[in-house]
Amino acid sequence: TIPEGRTLEEIAKRVEEKTPYSAKEFMDLVTNPEFIDQMIAKYPDLLTEEIKGENLRYDLEGYLFPATYSYYEEKPALESIVDEMLKTTAKNITPYMETLVQEEKSVHWLLTFASLLEEEATADTDRATIASVFINRMKEDMPLHTDPTVLYALGEHKDRVLYDDLEIDHPYNTYKIQGLPPGPISNSGSSSLDAVLNPSN
């Protein structure tokens, strides 16, 4: 089971706990350019050239869907496990494709925005409100000022973000950059995806 709001590195640890593969084997696969190109060819609507942006930490960050994956064999191929997670993401974003086309937004934009809500929200009710706040800030050209992006930039989990942390010069730090970071900071569940396209007023 992969919960919501998990980074690729956290998913790697989960895979290590529950399968015969190590976290390193998982990370080696999901950062392998050849494997990524195969997945882009297989899921062209999901994985676009945007996942190869220069400031991204990992191409597939945010693209492995939070869900329970059942296997009935001793050692399923690691490629098939990752493939299954991508297929589940593709299936879960299909209902939003029409709206994304209408609004001229990309899947990458949706998953990036949704990951911020996933990390900021404490309950389902918060998500649509937070989405609205972020949209309003972007309209006003204000920075988003969301602490989870600072933690992602720092590459560590902290209980409290300090003023010094906000000063980190990093492409993911939304205290320093305008708009969304270059890519997702974690995976997102359906309620966060929903909130991005159905924000509160």
Side-chain angles (χ1 to χ4, degrees), residues 62-88:
Y63 281 82
L64 304 185
F65 202 77
T68 297
Y69 298 93
S70 303
Y71 295 94
Y72 302 95
E73 55 191 294
E74 201 56 49
K75 194 176 181 184
L78 189 51
E79 289 81 358
S80 73
I81 294 174
V82 176
D83 189 335
E84 187 68 26
M85 292 176 181
L86 287 168
K87 193 199 307 182
T88 307

Side-chain angles (χ1 to χ4, degrees), residues 86-152:
L86 287 168
K87 193 199 307 182
T88 307
T89 305
K91 196 171 77 184
N92 278 277
I93 61 156
T94 301
Y96 306 109
M97 291 306 261
E98 202 176 314
T99 308
L100 289 174
V101 171
Q102 283 168 0
E103 297 192 8
E104 297 181 350
K105 299 292 188 191
S106 67
V107 170
H108 192 72
W109 173 87
L110 173 63
L111 291 177
T112 301
F113 198 149
S115 74
L116 302 187
L117 301 184
E118 196 63 63
E119 295 297 295
E120 272 283 354
T122 48
D124 283 353
T125 48
D126 292 341
R127 285 176 170 80
T129 307
I130 297 167
S132 172
V133 170
F134 285 165
I135 287 165
N136 291 341
R137 285 180 187 173
M138 285 192 268
K139 278 182 188 157
E140 297 292 329
D141 284 332
M142 287 171 65
L144 294 183
H145 285 179
T146 172
D147 290 359
T149 62
V150 178
L151 295 174
Y152 189 80

